[in-house]
Amino acid sequence: MSRAAATPAPSHLGRLWYKWRFHLSALLVIIPLAFMPKYFKDVALFRGESGLGEREVGEVQVGPWSLRLAEFRQEPPRLEGPAGYMKSFNAALCQACIGQVKATYLRIGKPRSLRAAGALFFGSPYRMGASLPIPARTKADAELWITMEGWDGSMHQASIPLAQASPATLAWLDKQGGKP
Amino acid sequence: MITAARLCLFGASKNVGEAVSAIPTAAPQKQAKKRSLRAVNEHFEPAFNVAMTTQVVFRGALLTLCAGFASLAQAHNPICQCEPLDGEEIVCTGGFSDGSGAPGVTLDVISYDEEILVPGKLGEDSKLRFKRPDGEFYVLFDAGPGHVVEIDHTEIEAP
């Protein structure tokens, strides 16, 4: 009596597994490739190769200076823990004002004072970033105020409608209905 | 037999040939075998060195990746909450979104016409108690330029 006869025949599933296991392992190697376009898109965004942000708002004149403003990501504000919902904007100072501007701030609504001018832009003047807190009770006609402080002590302000700066944020506010 | 793991003990920056010569000779009768292995190792030295460099680069990349995720997780946004106490007092608590407190940070109560009504600093427990001022005011938690939180008096409801 041969030993082979004593061995039970593999089940249907077992046969399928032995037949296709190599192909399955190859598939596991291929799966990460599906995420590569998103990965390279993000890398280009972080390095600035795809522009200042995902959606450029345009040039905003602030007194004698100007800056290019962009939404970092074209999406609603993100919940960042206990600090609430935050929205990221990027900005680039005009070439002539790089040496003159000390600080640039961003705020929803007109700032009461320079101390309360809002979120501070940080980073290179060619590509600065600011994370702006968005209160859930913000009204649809709210304005985004840009405050620029010069090394000479001067201060200039300008505003643009939030609807123009970030339609995604406005749509999110509409959906929230003023509720936190 | 000299394994790659044993070679790693001598540090990635060291040449494989040096690592081999640095291995202590435990038994004299094994000298001949080690000499022959040295020849093999010297032959494959460039390949081993490339592999080790890759390992070092991989470790570096892993560290960078971990640091990147750590920075994402450790956002440092200012937080301030004010609540009315019984009577005419308000207590404000400051901190940061990474869970750290804010003892000693400035917290001013300012009227709408920019007059500082209560110039204060948070205590050791990151809290400040003050009497509710008359009229319209706002609370400014000021942890530095761009790190401020404003709370309007309308958001601090009376009990």
Side-chain angles (χ1 to χ4, degrees), chain B residues 9 11-12 16 21-23 29 33 39 76 78 84 89 91-92 98 103 118 154:
Chain B
L9 293 173
V16 177
S21 52
I23 293 170
Q29 64 269 28
K33 195 176 178 186
H76 200 256
E89 278 196 320
V91 62
C92 291
D98 62 356
V118 182
T154 54

Side-chain angles (χ1 to χ4, degrees), chain A residues 80-83 86 105 107 111-113 115-120 131 133 137, chain B residues 75 77 79 97 106 108 110 112 114 116 138 140 142 145-146 148 150 152 155:
Chain A
E80 290 191 10
M86 311 290 275
Y105 302 87
R107 187 187 190 276
R112 289 171 157 130
S113 65
R115 265 183 87 187
L120 181 67
S131 199
R137 63 180 186 285
Chain B
N77 296 308
I79 304 167
S97 57
T106 303
D108 289 344
I110 306 167
Y112 272 19
E114 288 304 312
I116 296 177
Y138 67 97
L140 184 71
D142 189 354
V148 294
E150 288 173 62
D152 199 78
E155 295 170 46

Side-chain angles (χ1 to χ4, degrees), chain A residues 118-134:
Chain A
L120 181 67
F121 275 102
F122 60 90
S124 148
Y126 300 96
R127 188 179 163 80
M128 307 182 292
S131 199
L132 181 69
I134 310 283

